[in-house]
Amino acid sequence: MSEALKIPEGYVPIVMVEAFTTRIGPIYSRQTGDNIQLGFRVEESHLNIEQVVHGGMLATIADQAIGINIAHGTGSEYDVLTMHLSVDYIGPAYLGDWVEATAKLTKEGGRIRFGNCELRADGRLLLTGSAIFAARPTQRKSPSA
């Protein structure tokens, strides 16, 4: 792998149990203080017909970044579900770019939670987004069940 295509230091692959998220990966994460950043290296499978990253991919990463940060603070007894996601596309990402998502939570407690996100590639702003999530008691079965 060329030096330019390496994964930045501190990032590790995230293991997702969702088939959809696994299909669009690999996606990486790193902890920076209380924040979990997400990132991915743009591959051919992420491109649209114009040869830039598909907007749906960028929106998904924004949704994941905000949601993972909200879920990280709720504990395993809660699931968080996207109620609303709004994104503004600012600029394109290209094959080989490293795309990084940084989320900021604006309301962490209670049943309804809010967050914002920026996606950047090599310092270029690609997307800004905001989301509203609902926290609810988990519906997942425990591993011992």
Side-chain angles (χ1 to χ4, degrees):
M1 179 180 290
S2 77
E3 192 66 33
L5 296 181
K6 287 188 177 178
I7 304 306
E9 189 173 328
Y11 278 92
V12 295
I14 60 173
V15 178
M16 299 296 289
V17 294
E18 300 173 330
F20 174 76
T21 308
T22 301
R23 177 174 286 234
I24 65 170
I27 300 171
Y28 299 84
S29 69
R30 78 173 172 189
Q31 186 88 32
T32 56
D34 289 338
N35 191 272
I36 298 170
Q37 292 179 295
L38 298 186
F40 72 99
R41 180 68 65 192
V42 177
E43 299 177 357
E44 292 267 348
S45 62
H46 301 131
L47 302 179
N48 63 20
I49 197 167
E50 301 297 328
Q51 298 301 298
V52 298
V53 175
H54 193 285
M57 177 67 180
L58 297 176
T60 297
I61 296 299
D63 180 61
Q64 289 285 329
I66 299 167
I68 285 171
N69 276 281
I70 288 173
H72 183 70
T74 65
S76 60
E77 68 274 8
Y78 288 96
D79 293 329
V80 294
L81 305 164
T82 309
M83 295 174 59
H84 175 80
L85 175 67
S86 176
V87 298
D88 292 308
Y89 298 100
I90 311 298
Y94 303 99
L95 184 64
D97 279 350
W98 174 254
V99 176
E100 189 170 83
T102 304
K104 179 181 178 195
L105 304 183
T106 55
K107 182 180 180 290
E108 298 180 52
R111 191 177 71 79
I112 306 299
R113 297 149 191 228
F114 299 84
N116 298 313
C117 185
E118 286 188 349
L119 270 64
R120 294 182 178 272
D122 304 315
R124 301 182 325 270
L125 183 61
L126 307 176
L127 174 149
T128 60
S130 62
I132 303 170
F133 281 78
R136 70 172 188 186
T138 190
Q139 302 296 305
R140 288 175 271 145
K141 304 273 189 231
S142 69
S144 61

